[in-house]
Amino acid sequence: MSSSIDQPNSITCKAMVAWEAGKDLVMEEVEVSPPQPHEIRVKVVCTSLCRTDITAWESQAIFPRIFGHEASGIVESVGKGVTEFVEGDHVLTVFTGECKTCKHCESGKSNMCQVLGLERRGVMHSDQRTRFSIKGKPVYHYCAVSSFSEYTVVHSGCAVKVSLQAPLEKICLLSCGVAAGLGAAWNVADISKGSTLVIFGLGTVGLAVAQGAKIRGASQIIGVDINPEKYEKAKAFGVTDFLNPNDCKEPIQQVIKRISGGGTDYSFECIGDTGMVTTALQSCCDGWGLTVTLGVPKVKPEITSHYSAFLSGKTLKGSLFGGWKPKSDLPSLVNKYMNQEIQIDEFITHNMPFEDINKAFSLMREGKCLRCVIHMPN
């Protein structure tokens, strides 16, 4: 593998390529182009598997494709015009960037960057082309990150420089799931001390919401999940009451209203089921009840709800990446972890070598893990 300071070359490396929906990823040799203007090429150190990768792998029609977006790595080379990064910098990749100059970035009200927002077509933001190929044929990106590869190219606005002392095998979780849950609790809902909440779905995002609520001093954190094995894990993140809908003889929202004294102050939908959004709305209290939806639905993206929920003063809010502006805000989250103010290690249930990535997919599909961290070859 070769690169020069003046003009990086293409490099060849291993990547796990998805050739069709729902079929095992295949280890392939791919060619990775040099970073173009305002891009960086990153040697991926660790990447963790997120539920969104699985949802897209099972359903989306853009193939061949390299998935993965929750990752940490080391800058290998930089393209023209990049001044923020140099070779050797440690970075987190992010699926939604921050250009710092568009209307949303300048507003202080939003993290929905108009230049580097969520990329859905499998190409780079800058020129609508790919940086991966096999035998001259393009291999498509995922969320403009594609971390299931030894090397990847990202826009410099979709990477965040982090401390060289921060453990890359841990903080990779902050590039999506854990940060999304904490931000939903702190930025989107702005949970207040002594308040009550219910969380639907106790995966990584839901437990990160619980952790954020616990840190804010919530008095009651109700967790709802159909997997009873999650209760002990959930308690460690602050969940005070556990409900399994399969064990309830009445609709779950009625149980929640009864044990919370008329409905919770906040409810969080972390499953990716639009039907549960209605249940979450029905579970929070009249007057000021706030429901935040975080999950990405596999099917039926439309949300339906009776107008009476809103007539009674309830609010429904969406959340992308917990409202964090990645470049502005993620370094502070890394610092919180380094200062032991937030938990990350406890979300990591499995550590696996790169070649075992299909096992990680199986574990997540079967609900047997929170986060599998994939360690790339040295």
Side-chain angles (χ1 to χ4, degrees):
M1 298 180 192
S2 62
S3 67
S4 73
I5 293 173
D6 297 324
Q7 186 59 53
N9 300 316
S10 292
I11 56 176
T12 301
C13 71
K14 295 282 199 305
M16 280 292 199
V17 178
W19 288 96
E20 54 184 307
K23 296 292 177 69
D24 277 3
L25 309 187
V26 180
M27 182 82 79
E28 303 279 11
E29 285 221 330
V30 298
E31 188 170 293
V32 186
S33 299
Q36 298 304 300
H38 306 293
E39 295 175 354
I40 60 175
R41 190 161 57 191
V42 176
K43 176 178 169 59
V44 179
V45 173
C46 285
T47 178
S48 38
L49 182 57
C50 174
R51 171 66 65 179
T52 314
D53 290 303
I54 296 220
T55 301
W57 165 71
E58 289 176 334
S59 60
Q60 291 188 2
I62 306 173
F63 293 101
R65 199 169 197 183
I66 297 172
F67 286 104
H69 64 282
E70 197 174 85
S72 58
I74 300 169
V75 176
E76 177 268 344
S77 56
V78 302
K80 290 179 180 177
V82 174
T83 56
E84 183 184 354
F85 300 100
V86 296
E87 292 176 27
D89 280 345
H90 287 196
V91 295
L92 292 176
T93 60
V94 283
F95 66 90
T96 181
E98 183 182 352
C99 74
K100 297 195 173 185
T101 58
C102 73
K103 178 181 177 180
H104 279 250
C105 284
E106 289 187 331
S107 71
K109 302 175 183 178
S110 165
N111 66 343
M112 303 287 288
C113 179
Q114 293 169 296
V115 179
L116 301 171
L118 199 56
E119 207 300 306
R120 302 174 187 273
R121 290 176 289 182
V123 292
M124 296 297 289
H125 286 97
S126 53
D127 61 3
Q128 306 300 297
R129 299 174 68 180
T130 75
R131 301 290 176 262
F132 297 108
S133 61
I134 296 177
K135 296 177 181 175
K137 294 187 176 179
V139 177
Y140 294 97
H141 298 250
Y142 179 63
C143 286
V145 174
S146 294
S147 54
F148 296 165
S149 173
E150 291 178 305
Y151 289 84
T152 189
V153 176
V154 300
H155 194 285
S156 61
C158 295
V160 179
K161 188 187 298 188
V162 296
S163 164
L164 296 176
Q165 281 69 51
L168 294 176
E169 72 277 9
K170 309 289 189 183
I171 63 168
C172 56
L173 272 64
L174 287 175
S175 71
C176 184
V178 173
L182 289 171
W186 294 343
N187 303 327
V188 182
D190 193 15
I191 288 173
S192 55
K193 186 176 181 180
S195 58
T196 61
L197 64 145
V198 58
I199 302 164
F200 293 86
L202 298 177
T204 295
V205 174
L207 292 177
V209 171
Q211 178 181 182
K214 178 184 178 183
I215 291 170
R216 279 286 178 92
S219 62
Q220 184 181 38
I221 304 172
I222 304 166
V224 179
D225 204 291
I226 58 173
N227 183 352
E229 294 177 8
K230 290 186 175 179
Y231 184 39
E232 286 305 314
K233 194 81 175 175
K235 281 202 294 189
F237 288 100
V239 172
T240 58
D241 303 79
F242 183 84
L243 295 176
N244 184 338
N246 294 336
D247 296 338
C248 298
K249 295 178 182 177
E250 57 186 323
I252 191 74
Q253 58 267 35
Q254 293 182 17
V255 180
I256 293 163
K257 291 187 95 162
R258 187 173 69 249
I259 68 172
S260 64
T264 57
D265 298 305
Y266 312 95
S267 61
F268 296 83
E269 187 282 313
C270 304
I271 300 170
D273 179 347
T274 49
M276 291 305 295
V277 174
T278 302
T279 304
L281 266 171
Q282 293 170 341
S283 302
C284 62
C285 67
D286 290 342
W288 62 83
L290 170 64
T291 294
V292 180
T293 179
L294 295 89
V296 178
K298 290 183 186 178
V299 295
K300 193 182 174 292
E302 298 83 11
I303 293 172
T304 57
S305 186
H306 199 276
Y307 80 98
S308 61
F310 306 106
L311 202 61
S312 65
K314 297 180 182 183
T315 302
L316 174 64
K317 291 184 78 170
S319 174
L320 178 74
F321 196 44
W324 300 114
K325 290 178 178 285
K327 291 174 103 60
S328 300
D329 298 332
L330 277 190
S332 67
L333 277 185
V334 173
N335 289 339
K336 283 182 182 293
Y337 170 69
M338 298 290 282
N339 294 333
Q340 300 183 327
E341 295 172 41
I342 58 172
Q343 299 166 262
I344 295 179
D345 300 29
E346 292 79 2
F347 290 97
I348 301 170
T349 52
H350 299 77
N351 287 279
M352 294 184 168
F354 188 35
E355 60 267 23
D356 285 350
I357 206 164
N358 287 307
K359 293 181 184 176
F361 270 68
S362 296
L363 285 167
M364 184 162 272
R365 288 175 101 185
E366 294 162 12
K368 293 180 179 176
C369 72
L370 286 175
R371 276 296 188 266
C372 295
V373 173
I374 309 299
H375 296 255
M376 309 302 282
N378 291 327

